[in-house]
Amino acid sequence: MTDVEGPPGRYSLAHRVPDLAALELLLAVARLGSLGRAARETGISQPAASGRIQAMERRLGVALLDRSPRGSRLTDAGILVTEWARRVVESAEAFDAGAQALRARVDSRLRVAASMTIAEYLLPGWLIALHRARPGTAVSLYAGNSDSVGARVLVHEADLGFVEGPTVPAGLDATVIGHDRLVVVAAPGHPWARRRAPLDPAELAATGLILREPGSGNRQVLDAALAPYGGPAAPLLELASTTALKAAVMGGVGPCVLSELAVVEELAARRLVAVPVTGIGLRRELRAVWPAGPRPTGPARDLLALTRREP
């Protein structure tokens, strides 16, 4: 069976109309008067160019070129087909220009959602690097807990999300971009700050703590770690801000479990004291998330790449 067999409406338009590469080759032959020169201009061999023209002639059912030692000349049918080909190629060029403009518009903005620790302590450096690579991209940032970040990405209110929880929210794909560790911290005057033996998990679970709100990655990791011991005791306070949590601990309200990233300066200045804990793992994975399916493209892809390179 060939492309020209059967009635004209039997096959789809794609089977009956030559492709753009063939039409561009025909236009080059018409302009240059030589199949060999047209082949070189379009980046293919002369045998391949000859085969492409012959395939187009079979598909259309007419001869397009008269070939001679002096070159290739369009037949009367070839002249007519060339005029049609020019219109098709011009329309394709307009289509391509429109698609590039559309891509440029999409690439000019990036919506990011990030859990609090990542938003405060990691994302600023990544966004500075992204601005150097893509100075024309406008970035909007939503910061919240891991559950709310996953929900925003799931309904396409964010192009890329960053979460700290132990699991990937349903409907999202993810990749690990780093690791973090939770530490128990207390004010220098708290009894835990002076103890020599590490806390055991049962004592930690039985003590009222200042905690992040349910749904945060911090809280999810702690709840999972203390689940074998009955889970955390009723919290002294539940706060949604890392700054507020640190202020409450330093104010003497009680101990807290925070990201190591968030307390580096306070530990170095002895405004907070790290309390060792034995018998449980408080290390967690940091993940980038996006709607299940193809990996991110455009500025979201570039930001994702930067998370692997930037400290």
Side-chain angles (χ1 to χ4, degrees):
M1 183 181 295
T2 68
D3 291 327
V4 296
E5 289 179 353
R10 183 174 177 181
Y11 301 108
S12 70
L13 193 62
H15 287 83
R16 292 182 279 117
V17 175
D19 60 32
L20 281 173
L23 296 180
E24 288 179 319
L25 176 62
L26 180 63
L27 290 175
V29 174
R31 185 176 66 257
L32 299 172
S34 164
L35 188 59
R37 286 197 292 272
R40 286 192 294 274
E41 181 177 278
T42 54
I44 60 176
S45 67
Q46 183 163 341
S50 180
R52 189 170 291 178
I53 293 293
Q54 290 170 2
M56 183 162 47
E57 290 174 327
R58 288 195 301 271
R59 175 167 293 189
L60 297 175
V62 296
L64 301 174
L65 297 180
D66 282 332
R67 300 163 179 82
S68 72
R70 293 187 301 276
S72 299
R73 183 180 63 83
L74 292 172
T75 64
D76 291 342
I79 293 172
L80 187 58
V81 170
T82 300
E83 288 304 310
W84 296 338
R86 184 171 289 108
R87 295 178 210 167
V88 172
V89 171
E90 287 173 352
S91 296
E93 289 171 344
F95 179 94
D96 180 59
Q100 288 190 42
L102 187 60
R103 284 195 299 272
R105 188 175 71 182
V106 171
D107 287 354
S108 68
R109 66 184 178 94
L110 174 62
R111 301 167 301 165
V112 180
S115 54
M116 297 300 296
T117 300
I118 295 175
E120 291 183 53
Y121 300 101
L122 294 176
L123 196 56
W126 299 337
L127 293 182
I128 290 170
L130 180 67
H131 177 72
R132 289 197 295 262
R134 284 180 170 268
T137 298
V139 179
S140 62
L141 172 64
Y142 165 82
N145 64 38
S146 290
D147 279 359
S148 64
V149 168
R152 279 185 170 252
V153 175
L154 192 59
V155 297
H156 300 279
E157 290 181 358
D159 304 304
L160 189 65
F162 297 97
V163 297
E164 307 158 10
T167 59
V168 178
L172 301 180
D173 285 341
T175 186
V176 174
I177 58 165
H179 296 85
D180 182 26
R181 188 170 67 94
L182 299 183
V183 293
V184 179
V185 294
H190 191 276
W192 281 3
R194 297 186 295 273
R195 61 182 293 146
R196 295 181 178 179
L199 285 171
D200 63 68
E203 186 178 359
L204 181 62
T207 303
L209 303 170
I210 306 168
L211 297 177
R212 281 288 306 273
E213 79 285 3
S216 69
N218 190 318
R219 183 70 173 269
Q220 291 170 9
V221 171
L222 182 64
D223 286 352
L226 295 181
Y229 307 93
L236 298 172
L237 286 175
E238 284 184 340
L239 300 171
S241 162
T242 302
T243 301
L245 288 165
K246 291 191 289 187
V249 178
M250 289 185 285
V253 176
C256 182
V257 179
L258 283 168
S259 163
E260 194 170 39
L261 292 170
V263 294
V264 171
E265 293 183 7
E266 289 79 8
L267 293 177
R270 293 289 296 177
R271 294 193 296 271
L272 292 175
V273 176
V275 183
V277 183
T278 186
I280 56 172
L282 293 176
R283 190 169 183 264
R284 61 181 178 173
E285 293 179 329
L286 308 178
R287 294 181 176 89
V289 296
W290 59 90
R295 289 179 69 86
T297 59
R301 174 199 59 215
D302 293 348
L303 178 58
L304 184 57
L306 286 168
T307 65
R308 308 297 182 87
R309 298 201 299 268
E310 295 293 320

